[in-house]
Amino acid sequence: TQLLEQSPQFLSIQEGENLTVYCNSSSVFSSLQWYRQEPGEGPVLLVTVVTGGEVKKLKRLTFQFGDARKDSSLHITAAQPGDTGLYLCAGARQTGANNLFFGTGTRLTVIP
Amino acid sequence: DAGITQSPRHKVTETGTPVTLRCHQTENHRYMYWYRQDPGHGLRLIHYSYGVKDTDKGEVSDGYSVSRSKTEDFLLTLESATSSQTSVYFCAISPDSYYGYTFGSGTRLTVV
């Protein structure tokens, strides 16, 4: 049973288009993280959101944490080929060692 | 200065042989993790450590053992490699799961 479900699973868009990736759960998280993974490399942390309703912007990427802290979204404006990769959300249930749960992943391809 | 390095990056081994993967960190983080990543399964936790000589099992620990004799090193051992252990293995470090993980670049292991 996956604690975090991401949608869509695959996404292929043209350069310049906008897109949104969703991360949903029935569980409440103390923090929610987004990672991007490129082929042959490990996931890289993009952002951590910790407050319900929080919105963080990272250049063309906008991250939102749901009011109830159960879901999150990642919006990319004017996608570029360099945005291509696997996007993973991860939720921390509480502080400590083994409380980070990874989502199922969204594989994004941006076509030039 | 990566902060976390994995070795080797690639390895091919025969069924039944022991294999040890190494993870080394220079961040002095308390927590270290071993994951495997497979198509259709995402990231799955094998073992983790919350301090020197303190380790615990993850969701897919069968056939794997770990050791952490120093803060900076976390070893993953496949006692007798099987073809089902062909995968990409990632090490990760964290001061606390609340803040997210830093991943290594991965080890691609092929068991033939």
Side-chain angles (χ1 to χ4, degrees), chain A residues 24-78:
Chain A
N24 295 300
S25 176
S26 58
S27 299
V28 176
F29 296 102
S30 59
S31 73
L32 198 292
Q33 300 143 25
W34 285 92
Y35 296 79
R36 180 170 67 209
Q37 184 178 16
E38 298 185 13
E41 296 296 327
V44 175
L45 181 64
L46 297 175
V47 76
T48 300
V49 286
V50 301
T51 305
E54 181 177 1
V55 177
K56 278 191 174 180
K57 292 192 175 184
L58 190 67
K59 297 183 179 178
R60 295 176 294 100
L61 278 61
T62 302
F63 305 86
Q64 185 164 7
F65 201 10
D67 291 341
R69 307 210 316 275
K70 293 182 179 181
D71 54 81
S72 181
S73 64
L74 158 60
H75 182 79
I76 301 179
T77 302

Side-chain angles (χ1 to χ4, degrees), chain A residues 30-31 33 35 37 40-43 45 48 50 86 88 92 94-98 100 102, chain B residues 9 31 33 35 37 41 43 45 48 50 57 90 96-101 103-106:
Chain A
S30 59
S31 73
Q33 300 143 25
Y35 296 79
Q37 184 178 16
E41 296 296 327
L45 181 64
T48 300
V50 301
L86 178 67
L88 296 163
Q94 59 191 52
T95 58
N98 184 27
L100 193 65
F102 282 89
Chain B
R9 285 298 310 272
Y31 302 108
Y33 308 83
Y35 283 87
Q37 188 175 39
H41 292 279
L43 282 165
L45 182 66
Y48 67 99
Y50 48 96
K57 297 178 179 180
F90 288 101
D96 189 293
S97 58
Y98 181 86
Y99 301 104
Y101 294 175
F103 283 86
S105 297

